[in-house]
Amino acid sequence: QVGLVESGGGSVQTGGSLRISCGTSGYDSNRYSMGWFRQAPRKGREGVAALTSDGLTSYSDSVKGRFTISQDNAKNTLYLQMNSLKPEDTARYYCAATKNRLAAGSLNFNWYNYWGQGTQVTVSS
């Protein structure tokens, strides 16, 4: 069973940076694709970034050039480095995993089977 635990969220001012982490367990990086998603109040869940088991990345247009997804297999941790943060980035951020190879690199949350509890990121203007 895959376990995912997010950490590192917090409050930051516009233009600031934050790195959130996702500790993983029961997870084989050679078989799973990982993703970061977010959900703001009264909005649907949005795919932010994805990382395939081959190391390929994909990003939503809203964060491309500002956010970077990465993974440290030795530490069993997935990261999301967020730079040039904007108030519209305020949301609860979730990491997710899928074994479905058809979902590799997808930003569609329906493909992902395993989810963490999320960590809150708040960007003030």
Side-chain angles (χ1 to χ4, degrees):
Q1 182 69 22
V2 174
L4 305 172
V5 180
E6 300 91 339
S7 62
S11 298
V12 64
Q13 291 189 326
T14 297
S17 297
L18 202 61
R19 188 179 77 165
I20 56 178
S21 304
C22 175
T24 66
S25 61
Y27 158 74
D28 182 350
S29 63
N30 292 320
R31 297 179 59 192
Y32 286 77
S33 290
M34 302 292 293
W36 283 102
F37 298 80
R38 67 186 182 187
Q39 189 163 14
R42 299 176 298 280
K43 292 189 176 180
R45 191 162 293 192
E46 174 190 14
V48 174
L51 176 68
T52 72
S53 58
D54 298 323
L56 300 177
T57 58
S58 57
Y59 298 92
S60 67
D61 289 341
S62 61
V63 307
K64 197 172 295 182
R66 300 188 297 124
F67 290 12
T68 303
I69 187 172
S70 63
Q71 185 167 266
D72 185 334
N73 291 331
K75 296 182 178 180
N76 294 323
T77 302
L78 180 76
Y79 300 101
L80 185 68
Q81 176 67 44
M82 303 181 290
N83 298 328
S84 302
L85 283 161
K86 306 174 182 180
E88 51 263 44
D89 294 319
T90 295
R92 191 164 186 85
Y93 284 71
Y94 300 86
C95 67
T98 177
K99 284 197 298 184
N100 191 334
R101 292 191 177 275
L102 294 177
S106 174
L107 297 178
N108 185 337
F109 67 87
N110 289 301
W111 284 107
Y112 290 78
N113 312 103
Y114 305 99
W115 293 84
Q117 295 301 306
T119 186
Q120 179 67 33
V121 173
T122 302
V123 185
S124 59
S125 56

mmCIF file with all atom_site columns, all heavy atoms in Angstrom, residues 13 20 41 56:
data_model
loop_
_atom_site.group_PDB
_atom_site.id
_atom_site.type_symbol
_atom_site.label_atom_id
_atom_site.label_alt_id
_atom_site.label_comp_id
_atom_site.label_asym_id
_atom_site.label_entity_id
_atom_site.label_seq_id
_atom_site.pdbx_PDB_ins_code
_atom_site.Cartn_x
_atom_site.Cartn_y
_atom_site.Cartn_z
_atom_site.occupancy
_atom_site.B_iso_or_equiv
_atom_site.pdbx_formal_charge
_atom_site.auth_seq_id
_atom_site.auth_comp_id
_atom_site.auth_asym_id
_atom_site.auth_atom_id
_atom_site.pdbx_PDB_model_num
ATOM 1  N N   . GLN A 1 13 ? 4.582   35.753 0.947   1.00 0.00 ? 13 GLN A N   1
ATOM 2  C CA  . GLN A 1 13 ? 4.117   36.933 0.228   1.00 0.00 ? 13 GLN A CA  1
ATOM 3  C C   . GLN A 1 13 ? 4.290   36.747 -1.279  1.00 0.00 ? 13 GLN A C   1
ATOM 4  O O   . GLN A 1 13 ? 5.073   35.903 -1.743  1.00 0.00 ? 13 GLN A O   1
ATOM 5  C CB  . GLN A 1 13 ? 4.878   38.167 0.699   1.00 0.00 ? 13 GLN A CB  1
ATOM 6  C CG  . GLN A 1 13 ? 4.550   38.575 2.116   1.00 0.00 ? 13 GLN A CG  1
ATOM 7  C CD  . GLN A 1 13 ? 5.156   39.914 2.485   1.00 0.00 ? 13 GLN A CD  1
ATOM 8  O OE1 . GLN A 1 13 ? 6.245   40.251 2.036   1.00 0.00 ? 13 GLN A OE1 1
ATOM 9  N NE2 . GLN A 1 13 ? 4.448   40.670 3.312   1.00 0.00 ? 13 GLN A NE2 1
ATOM 10 N N   . ILE A 1 20 ? 7.473   22.447 -1.114  1.00 0.00 ? 20 ILE A N   1
ATOM 11 C CA  . ILE A 1 20 ? 6.685   21.465 -0.386  1.00 0.00 ? 20 ILE A CA  1
ATOM 12 C C   . ILE A 1 20 ? 7.190   20.072 -0.726  1.00 0.00 ? 20 ILE A C   1
ATOM 13 O O   . ILE A 1 20 ? 7.762   19.842 -1.802  1.00 0.00 ? 20 ILE A O   1
ATOM 14 C CB  . ILE A 1 20 ? 5.172   21.605 -0.652  1.00 0.00 ? 20 ILE A CB  1
ATOM 15 C CG1 . ILE A 1 20 ? 4.855   21.520 -2.141  1.00 0.00 ? 20 ILE A CG1 1
ATOM 16 C CG2 . ILE A 1 20 ? 4.681   22.917 -0.077  1.00 0.00 ? 20 ILE A CG2 1
ATOM 17 C CD1 . ILE A 1 20 ? 3.348   21.598 -2.442  1.00 0.00 ? 20 ILE A CD1 1
ATOM 18 N N   . PRO A 1 41 ? -10.503 26.983 -2.423  1.00 0.00 ? 41 PRO A N   1
ATOM 19 C CA  . PRO A 1 41 ? -11.902 26.995 -1.985  1.00 0.00 ? 41 PRO A CA  1
ATOM 20 C C   . PRO A 1 41 ? -12.857 27.278 -3.148  1.00 0.00 ? 41 PRO A C   1
ATOM 21 O O   . PRO A 1 41 ? -12.595 28.166 -3.977  1.00 0.00 ? 41 PRO A O   1
ATOM 22 C CB  . PRO A 1 41 ? -11.931 28.114 -0.955  1.00 0.00 ? 41 PRO A CB  1
ATOM 23 C CG  . PRO A 1 41 ? -10.548 28.175 -0.427  1.00 0.00 ? 41 PRO A CG  1
ATOM 24 C CD  . PRO A 1 41 ? -9.659  27.856 -1.593  1.00 0.00 ? 41 PRO A CD  1
ATOM 25 N N   . LEU A 1 56 ? 10.354  12.165 -16.894 1.00 0.00 ? 56 LEU A N   1
ATOM 26 C CA  . LEU A 1 56 ? 9.785   13.224 -17.708 1.00 0.00 ? 56 LEU A CA  1
ATOM 27 C C   . LEU A 1 56 ? 8.808   14.043 -16.870 1.00 0.00 ? 56 LEU A C   1
ATOM 28 O O   . LEU A 1 56 ? 8.124   13.505 -16.008 1.00 0.00 ? 56 LEU A O   1
ATOM 29 C CB  . LEU A 1 56 ? 9.075   12.633 -18.921 1.00 0.00 ? 56 LEU A CB  1
ATOM 30 C CG  . LEU A 1 56 ? 9.961   11.801 -19.853 1.00 0.00 ? 56 LEU A CG  1
ATOM 31 C CD1 . LEU A 1 56 ? 9.132   11.210 -20.987 1.00 0.00 ? 56 LEU A CD1 1
ATOM 32 C CD2 . LEU A 1 56 ? 11.105  12.637 -20.412 1.00 0.00 ? 56 LEU A CD2 1
#
